[in-house]
Amino acid sequence: AQTVTQSQPEMSVQEAETVTLSCTYDTSESDYYLFWYKQPPSRQMILVIRQEAYKQQNATENRFSVNFQKAAKSFSLKISDSQLGDAAMYFCAYRSAEDMRFGAGTRLTVKP
Amino acid sequence: NAGVMQNPRHLVRRRGQEARLRCSPMKGHSHVYWYRQLPEEGLKFMVYLQKENIIDESGMPKERFSAEFPKEGPSILRIQQVVRGDSAAYFCASSRYGASDSEAFFGQGTRLTVV
């Protein structure tokens, strides 16, 4: 069974609006990393943002930010001012020293 | 329903040997994708296969690397005459319908170390 859960197989957002993609994970580790990857039709996996578990401050990369709730084991991705080019599959991933796991993905559609 | 199974989890090979990485997709899935994890945390697409067919191998190195997904059995990523630069984690993912799928499931990866 996967230990990274993305509960939204598909999401849709209007261009210029904000959308939040959900991700929860399960771990007994205290030291780990969390990632969001974007997969456009080219199938390449592009790293969008990463968060170190020991950091309390939420990571931000331009229009992308996360809401990291360590106690709740939640790691959501917020995309502000959505653009057509944001349309893709988004994968949440967890990595510890010995393990890396991915969620099943969320397909994001951006409507013009 | 078991998830995507990759084996071995860890593989050590000497330079010049062959490495075979196996990926058993989820039940009912006929689409398999292979990725190599780069040191800077990125995942580089290698190849996309659908039962017995290679659909897209644009990410595969031209030499020493090959992949197959036979009618029966797991998908195999084969690296001949391995070199130190092949050391990486290799992940495979599977989906039921391919590009139109809203879900893909990843295995836990095989960590290849070339000594």
Side-chain angles (χ1 to χ4, degrees):
Chain A
Q2 289 189 318
T3 57
V4 178
T5 303
Q6 292 178 250
S7 59
Q8 307 150 316
E10 297 182 348
M11 289 286 283
S12 179
V13 63
Q14 203 71 34
E15 192 176 6
E17 297 293 314
T18 295
V19 65
T20 298
L21 308 185
S22 301
C23 174
T24 59
Y25 59 95
D26 186 25
T27 185
S28 57
E29 303 279 348
S30 58
D31 187 17
Y32 53 89
Y33 298 85
L34 297 164
F35 308 87
W36 277 98
Y37 286 94
K38 173 184 177 182
Q39 185 192 48
S42 68
R43 300 188 191 92
Q44 193 58 262
M45 293 283 269
I46 302 165
L47 179 62
V48 174
I49 199 165
R50 63 178 273 171
Q51 173 84 41
E52 290 88 343
Y54 65 86
K55 288 187 177 179
Q56 292 185 332
Q57 187 173 7
N58 289 325
T60 299
E61 287 288 339
N62 301 313
R63 296 183 295 107
F64 298 87
S65 62
V66 298
N67 183 4
F68 175 44
Q69 302 288 330
K70 191 172 184 178
K73 296 178 183 173
S74 169
F75 183 61
S76 60
L77 174 70
K78 186 171 84 171
I79 306 174
S80 304
D81 185 26
S82 297
Q83 300 175 0
L84 295 177
D86 294 334
M89 283 282 284
Y90 286 82
F91 290 92
C92 175
Y94 157 97
R95 180 176 181 173
S96 64
E98 291 294 324
D99 196 13
M100 184 162 193
R101 294 177 184 264
F102 295 82
T106 296
R107 181 175 294 281
L108 178 65
T109 304
V110 181
K111 297 178 181 177
Chain B
N1 185 11
V4 176
M5 304 300 292
Q6 287 188 251
N7 66 81
R9 289 292 309 277
H10 300 275
L11 181 62
V12 179
R13 284 288 177 267
R14 295 186 184 279
R15 281 178 293 172
Q17 290 184 320
E18 178 181 285
R20 280 181 175 246
L21 288 64
R22 294 176 184 77
C23 171
S24 296
M26 287 184 68
K27 187 177 180 180
H29 288 194
S30 59
H31 300 258
V32 166
Y33 314 81
W34 283 93
Y35 293 85
R36 177 163 57 179
Q37 185 177 32
L38 303 173
E40 62 270 21
E41 313 292 357
L43 284 170
K44 185 174 185 294
F45 167 75
M46 299 182 75
V47 62
Y48 165 35
L49 309 105
Q50 185 184 1
K51 279 291 183 181
E52 300 185 272
N53 294 304
I54 295 175
I55 307 301
D56 179 357
E57 56 181 349
S58 58
M60 286 280 272
K62 293 290 186 282
E63 297 177 348
R64 302 188 297 107
F65 285 72
S66 63
E68 63 176 9
F69 189 16
K71 187 176 180 181
E72 301 292 336
S75 175
I76 306 287
L77 179 67
R78 182 181 176 206
I79 311 172
Q80 294 178 291
Q81 300 174 340
V82 296
V83 301
R84 287 232 171 97
D86 297 332
S87 295
Y90 293 82
F91 290 89
C92 88
S94 76
S95 67
R96 186 181 297 274
Y97 302 118
S100 61
D101 252 328
S102 58
E103 289 184 318
F105 295 84
F106 279 79
Q108 290 183 254
T110 292
R111 280 155 181 78
L112 172 65
T113 302
V114 179
V115 296

